[in-house]
Amino acid sequence: MACFVVPAAEAVVVKAVERAAQKRADTCQSEERIGLVDKLKWLSHMLWGGALLLLFEHVWHGEIVPWFPFLTAMDSPAGTAEMLWEMATAGVLMALLITAVWVGMVLVTNAMEKRVLHTQAPTL
């Protein structure tokens, strides 16, 4: 129904944090390291991609229509309650899963960067 709203809302917050981090980012970034801004872009793209895919799926199944109130679940109070329950359960779970995958990507990337920097370190 509207579970795509939760990842989309998180994507908006991440995009705001990304822009704030971009303003504060160091211009002298090491070429061997991937910066925080780039890693936040990964999360933003993953969230927006997931939200758009879910939006398409809901349009395909007729749960989103081009006339007001746009979400068919909002036609009745019972439908609205069901929609909010889906957002609180499925939407939050999807947003958390996407974020967990991103955290895993960042951890693997950081480990790979440490390995590269460790092998390039001069030996005495």
Side-chain angles (χ1 to χ4, degrees):
M1 291 187 217
C3 57
F4 65 91
V5 173
V6 177
E10 184 182 352
V12 169
V13 171
V14 168
K15 188 54 106 174
V17 171
E18 176 191 324
R19 294 229 173 137
Q22 180 73 39
K23 290 180 182 178
R24 300 180 69 185
D26 264 343
T27 56
C28 56
Q29 181 72 291
S30 171
E31 288 185 20
E32 294 89 18
R33 306 255 347 184
I34 299 173
L36 175 65
V37 174
D38 291 327
K39 291 174 184 174
L40 287 172
K41 283 181 185 178
W42 296 348
L43 178 58
S44 177
H45 290 172
M46 290 170 67
L47 288 165
W48 280 119
L52 289 175
L53 185 64
L54 287 167
L55 175 71
F56 174 76
E57 186 267 335
H58 288 306
V59 169
W60 186 269
H61 287 108
E63 296 170 347
I64 300 174
V65 291
W67 55 85
F68 190 78
F70 306 112
L71 299 169
T72 57
M74 293 182 70
D75 286 341
S76 69
T80 302
E82 183 182 345
M83 177 191 69
L84 292 174
W85 176 254
E86 181 184 318
M87 288 171 62
T89 55
V92 170
L93 184 61
M94 286 184 281
L96 289 174
L97 182 63
I98 291 170
T99 304
V101 169
W102 174 76
V103 167
M105 289 172 50
V106 169
L107 291 174
V108 168
T109 303
N110 288 345
M112 292 171 66
E113 288 174 342
K114 284 182 183 178
R115 177 180 279 172
V116 168
L117 290 175
H118 181 63
T119 58
Q120 291 179 352
T123 57
L124 298 175

